[in-house]
Amino acid sequence: MDDDGRYRDGRSDFIRGAKDIAKVAKKQVGKKVGRGMDKMGDEYTKRSYKRFEEEDDDDDYAGVPSNDGGYYRNDSRANDDEGHSDSTEGHDEDDEIYEGEYQGIPRADSGKAGGMDGVTATQAQQFRDLSAYEGERRKDQEELAQQYETILQECGHGKFQWTLYFVLGLALMADGVEIFVVGFVLPSAEKDMCLSEPNKGMLGLIVYLGMMVGAFVWGGLADRIGRRQTLLISLSINSVFAFFSSFVQGYVSFLFCRLASGVGIGGSIPIVFSYYSEFLAQEKRGEHLSWLCMFWMIGGIYASAMAWAIIPHYGWSFQMGSAYQFHSWRVFVLVCAFPSVAAISALTTMPESPRFYLENGKHDEAWMILKQVHDTNMRAKGYPERVFSVTTIKTVKQMDELVNLGDGAAWHEKWRIKLTSLFHQVWSNFQTVFSPEYRRTTYMMMAVWFSMSFSYYGLTVWFPDMIKYLQKQEYSSRTRVFVKEKVEHVTFNFTLENQVHRQGEYFNDKFMNLKMRSMVFEDSLFEECYFEDITSSNTFFKNCTFIATLFYNTDLFKYRLVNCKLINSTFLHNKEGCLLSDVSDENNAYMVYFVSFLGTLAVLPGNIVSALLMDKIGRLRMLAGSSVISCISCFFLSFGNSESAMIALLCLFGGISIASWNALDVLTVELYPSDKRTTAFGFLNALCKLAAVLGISIFTSFVGITKAVPILFASGALAAGSFLALKLPETRGQVLQ
């Protein structure tokens, strides 16, 4: 009797423990199990564990059979808010399937043979056969893909898609703006922050590094917590740190804010294209994803126009003492955050992707969104009486995830457990991108993305640097040289620019209220001279002698005096500032903005052509053809010996290569299934930014040295990319996986 009592106690404890685990699992997963799904789960449990000898007599509540296994709207029990079923809320321990059985948790009966000593072995058997599970998920996903395409055909293409187009376009526009911000503010920011050349280079690359991290992180999260929610979080981070970067004063803090801003905006491209594609039918997908790319161009135009209108207006500034300064370039940085803020505001009115919901077993939420799409489009087309005829949609079998949050654990401990679990889920999903099924596709896409990005970003930064180099060459050719001049009792109160004075003698001369730009004095004598209120750039005194000379309120610091002798000379009230080696005037700034404006606007024809032909000639032909033409255009770089020629070549290359990018974006969206789409896109986009950093670093190092190396690198990368692109599968006319 004692043995029987101990047995019953142990059996009861085991049952209670199993029920507790089932309740936690049910709450964690947060799904409602329908009648038809219950029966399928019961049959699967019988096959997996072989614990039952007889069939269960539950056919009276199994629900109406369905080819797609979804939920029926007219089944009141399947749509009951409580979501109860006998398989999840069973009571008879011997005849009914007890609560939690659908999670694969063994019944207490299975513990009779081995007693409590067999609990460990029994628990080891509770995990499903992963290969069988993946096979069922694959079948569900294939059925869902076909049905989802049919539903999108019924919903039509209209007002809803165009509204979402403009909302997501703002997010893509914010990404385009982010690329240009640092490049436009550097000439002005270097004055406020006294940036050295290495610091300027780091500031230019930090945005790409941030976007690389952001693309990988947000892309992975979007497949787990949703496209809309992830995009809202990433854009919010971008907006907050873009706002802060316009006010911080130090270099390190500004660098950190731009890094964090880049991390935020990094999620824009992979999420936006995946999000929008899941509302588009196959005959519209290629065209309208290409139209969406135009907003990246609009972002570049917006940044160029705002820089042109704001930065040269140095009157748009204020300061509080000598510690805090807010100049016009900071106003420009603030204005560049507007597209991101507008995207956040507009995105709050849009729904989550129904495809994401269906992939995660949320049938009712997905059905409501698809009905909203249908009704919105029908009302806009003048057919408000048309009814959404879909009553059931296939949902994908979900992985059972048991997360022990711990009873009575502190809130931070629970958050740590949740975040750890989320990290493992994201990492596991990323690893599947390199599974045997997708490995070849992923490696090929990596090569194409890398080659495209290496050549495109390398050349688009090399072009402006070459233009600046040609400007300097042309500027130097106009340098005036004065030798052995003698100047006495003269007052200089006008700008001195681009001159070289050798072996001159200056006696009792006054240099007052003037600017010196690119001025060099060599082996000259200054005696009893007076320098007051001087602002200089790229100005040096070499091997000069100063006798009884006074410097008052100037920026002619001693490091501008190279190997000079100072005899009875005095410096009073020196200006605070930085040693600027470059020529930075208003005309040069306007030129930089104008060149960027033209280069960005030049992609408009390529965008239009790619959008009109994407669904007609296919993604691979568009990608390979545009890459080949871009490769050929690289050889024209050898003829770029003037500023105007380089601007024309920049516009030509940008207009041709944009078609390749559009085709690559569409192809990436269509090659991966919905549960891996943003993860794969985010990883490839992160690789793109890494290639951009390498391309920029390598190409710019040859400015002024040779054109042959950039030409060979760019053409070789584009040729390799076009060849590999032809090895990829064509996705035109296929349903979204």
Side-chain angles (χ1 to χ4, degrees), residues 550-569:
L550 176 63
F551 297 86
Y552 182 83
N553 191 30
T554 71
D555 63 358
L556 300 176
F557 309 121
K558 291 187 177 181
Y559 48 72
R560 293 194 184 276
L561 311 180
V562 182
N563 296 326
C564 293
K565 295 181 180 179
L566 298 173
I567 303 174
N568 296 328
S569 298

Short mmCIF file of all heavy atoms in Angstrom, two decimals, residues 550-569:
data_model
loop_
_atom_site.label_atom_id
_atom_site.label_comp_id
_atom_site.label_asym_id
_atom_site.label_seq_id
_atom_site.Cartn_x
_atom_site.Cartn_y
_atom_site.Cartn_z
N LEU A 550 54.02 93.49 -34.20
CA LEU A 550 52.94 93.19 -33.26
C LEU A 550 51.82 92.42 -33.99
O LEU A 550 51.37 92.83 -35.06
CB LEU A 550 52.37 94.49 -32.68
CG LEU A 550 51.16 94.33 -31.75
CD1 LEU A 550 51.51 93.53 -30.49
CD2 LEU A 550 50.60 95.70 -31.37
N PHE A 551 51.39 91.29 -33.36
CA PHE A 551 50.26 90.50 -33.87
C PHE A 551 49.11 90.64 -32.86
O PHE A 551 49.24 90.21 -31.70
CB PHE A 551 50.63 89.02 -34.00
CG PHE A 551 51.74 88.76 -35.00
CD1 PHE A 551 53.08 88.86 -34.63
CD2 PHE A 551 51.43 88.44 -36.31
CE1 PHE A 551 54.08 88.61 -35.54
CE2 PHE A 551 52.44 88.19 -37.23
CZ PHE A 551 53.78 88.28 -36.85
N TYR A 552 48.02 91.27 -33.29
CA TYR A 552 46.90 91.53 -32.38
C TYR A 552 45.61 90.93 -32.97
O TYR A 552 45.21 91.27 -34.08
CB TYR A 552 46.72 93.03 -32.16
CG TYR A 552 45.62 93.39 -31.19
CD1 TYR A 552 45.85 93.38 -29.82
CD2 TYR A 552 44.34 93.72 -31.65
CE1 TYR A 552 44.83 93.70 -28.92
CE2 TYR A 552 43.33 94.03 -30.77
CZ TYR A 552 43.57 94.02 -29.40
OH TYR A 552 42.57 94.33 -28.51
N ASN A 553 44.99 90.04 -32.21
CA ASN A 553 43.71 89.43 -32.60
C ASN A 553 43.82 88.77 -33.99
O ASN A 553 43.03 89.03 -34.89
CB ASN A 553 42.59 90.48 -32.60
CG ASN A 553 41.21 89.83 -32.73
OD1 ASN A 553 41.00 88.70 -32.30
ND2 ASN A 553 40.27 90.55 -33.35
N THR A 554 44.79 87.90 -34.13
CA THR A 554 44.98 87.18 -35.38
C THR A 554 44.96 85.67 -35.11
O THR A 554 45.06 85.22 -33.96
CB THR A 554 46.32 87.55 -36.04
OG1 THR A 554 47.40 86.98 -35.28
CG2 THR A 554 46.50 89.06 -36.11
N ASP A 555 44.85 84.90 -36.16
CA ASP A 555 45.01 83.45 -36.04
C ASP A 555 46.33 83.00 -36.64
O ASP A 555 46.49 81.84 -37.03
CB ASP A 555 43.84 82.71 -36.69
CG ASP A 555 43.76 82.96 -38.19
OD1 ASP A 555 44.58 83.74 -38.72
OD2 ASP A 555 42.86 82.38 -38.84
N LEU A 556 47.29 83.95 -36.74
CA LEU A 556 48.63 83.62 -37.22
C LEU A 556 49.45 83.06 -36.05
O LEU A 556 50.36 83.70 -35.52
CB LEU A 556 49.31 84.86 -37.83
CG LEU A 556 48.58 85.49 -39.01
CD1 LEU A 556 49.30 86.77 -39.47
CD2 LEU A 556 48.48 84.51 -40.16
N PHE A 557 49.07 81.84 -35.67
CA PHE A 557 49.75 81.21 -34.54
C PHE A 557 51.18 80.84 -34.93
O PHE A 557 51.55 80.82 -36.09
CB PHE A 557 48.98 79.97 -34.09
CG PHE A 557 47.51 80.23 -33.87
CD1 PHE A 557 46.55 79.53 -34.58
CD2 PHE A 557 47.09 81.20 -32.96
CE1 PHE A 557 45.20 79.76 -34.39
CE2 PHE A 557 45.74 81.44 -32.76
CZ PHE A 557 44.80 80.72 -33.48
N LYS A 558 51.94 80.48 -33.93
CA LYS A 558 53.36 80.21 -34.19
C LYS A 558 53.57 79.00 -35.09
O LYS A 558 54.61 78.89 -35.73
CB LYS A 558 54.08 80.02 -32.86
CG LYS A 558 54.17 81.32 -32.07
CD LYS A 558 55.03 81.17 -30.83
CE LYS A 558 55.16 82.49 -30.09
NZ LYS A 558 56.01 82.40 -28.88
N TYR A 559 52.55 78.07 -35.12
CA TYR A 559 52.76 76.92 -36.02
C TYR A 559 52.55 77.29 -37.47
O TYR A 559 52.77 76.49 -38.36
CB TYR A 559 51.86 75.73 -35.63
CG TYR A 559 50.42 76.03 -35.40
CD1 TYR A 559 49.56 76.35 -36.45
CD2 TYR A 559 49.89 76.00 -34.11
CE1 TYR A 559 48.24 76.63 -36.23
CE2 TYR A 559 48.55 76.28 -33.88
CZ TYR A 559 47.73 76.58 -34.94
OH TYR A 559 46.40 76.86 -34.71
N ARG A 560 52.08 78.53 -37.73
CA ARG A 560 52.05 79.02 -39.12
C ARG A 560 53.38 79.66 -39.50
O ARG A 560 53.59 79.98 -40.67
CB ARG A 560 50.93 80.03 -39.30
CG ARG A 560 49.52 79.45 -39.16
CD ARG A 560 48.49 80.44 -39.68
NE ARG A 560 47.13 79.99 -39.49
CZ ARG A 560 46.48 79.17 -40.31
NH1 ARG A 560 47.10 78.70 -41.37
NH2 ARG A 560 45.24 78.81 -40.05
N LEU A 561 54.23 79.85 -38.52
CA LEU A 561 55.54 80.45 -38.77
C LEU A 561 56.57 79.33 -38.77
O LEU A 561 57.00 78.83 -37.72
CB LEU A 561 55.87 81.49 -37.70
CG LEU A 561 54.76 82.53 -37.41
CD1 LEU A 561 55.20 83.50 -36.32
CD2 LEU A 561 54.39 83.28 -38.68
N VAL A 562 56.99 78.92 -39.95
CA VAL A 562 57.88 77.77 -40.11
C VAL A 562 59.32 78.26 -40.21
O VAL A 562 59.67 79.00 -41.13
CB VAL A 562 57.50 76.95 -41.36
CG1 VAL A 562 58.41 75.73 -41.49
CG2 VAL A 562 56.04 76.54 -41.30
N ASN A 563 60.15 77.87 -39.23
CA ASN A 563 61.58 78.25 -39.21
C ASN A 563 61.75 79.77 -39.30
O ASN A 563 62.61 80.27 -40.05
CB ASN A 563 62.34 77.57 -40.36
CG ASN A 563 62.36 76.06 -40.23
OD1 ASN A 563 62.40 75.53 -39.11
ND2 ASN A 563 62.32 75.36 -41.35
N CYS A 564 60.94 80.49 -38.56
CA CYS A 564 61.00 81.95 -38.58
C CYS A 564 61.72 82.47 -37.33
O CYS A 564 61.73 81.82 -36.28
CB CYS A 564 59.59 82.54 -38.66
SG CYS A 564 58.75 82.20 -40.23
N LYS A 565 62.29 83.69 -37.46
CA LYS A 565 62.95 84.36 -36.34
C LYS A 565 62.08 85.50 -35.85
O LYS A 565 61.62 86.32 -36.64
CB LYS A 565 64.31 84.90 -36.77
CG LYS A 565 65.31 83.81 -37.16
CD LYS A 565 66.65 84.44 -37.56
CE LYS A 565 67.65 83.36 -37.95
NZ LYS A 565 68.96 83.97 -38.36
N LEU A 566 61.83 85.53 -34.53
CA LEU A 566 61.02 86.58 -33.93
C LEU A 566 61.91 87.41 -33.01
O LEU A 566 62.42 86.91 -32.00
CB LEU A 566 59.86 85.97 -33.15
CG LEU A 566 58.86 85.14 -33.97
CD1 LEU A 566 57.85 84.45 -33.05
CD2 LEU A 566 58.13 86.03 -34.97
N ILE A 567 62.10 88.68 -33.39
CA ILE A 567 62.96 89.58 -32.61
C ILE A 567 62.10 90.73 -32.10
O ILE A 567 61.56 91.52 -32.88
CB ILE A 567 64.13 90.12 -33.47
CG1 ILE A 567 64.94 88.94 -34.03
CG2 ILE A 567 65.01 91.05 -32.66
CD1 ILE A 567 66.02 89.38 -35.02
N ASN A 568 61.96 90.80 -30.77
CA ASN A 568 61.15 91.86 -30.14
C ASN A 568 59.74 91.92 -30.74
O ASN A 568 59.18 93.01 -30.95
CB ASN A 568 61.83 93.23 -30.28
CG ASN A 568 63.15 93.28 -29.54
OD1 ASN A 568 63.32 92.63 -28.50
ND2 ASN A 568 64.10 94.03 -30.08
N SER A 569 59.17 90.79 -31.02
CA SER A 569 57.82 90.73 -31.60
C SER A 569 56.86 90.13 -30.58
O SER A 569 57.24 89.31 -29.74
CB SER A 569 57.82 89.88 -32.88
OG SER A 569 58.67 90.46 -33.86
#
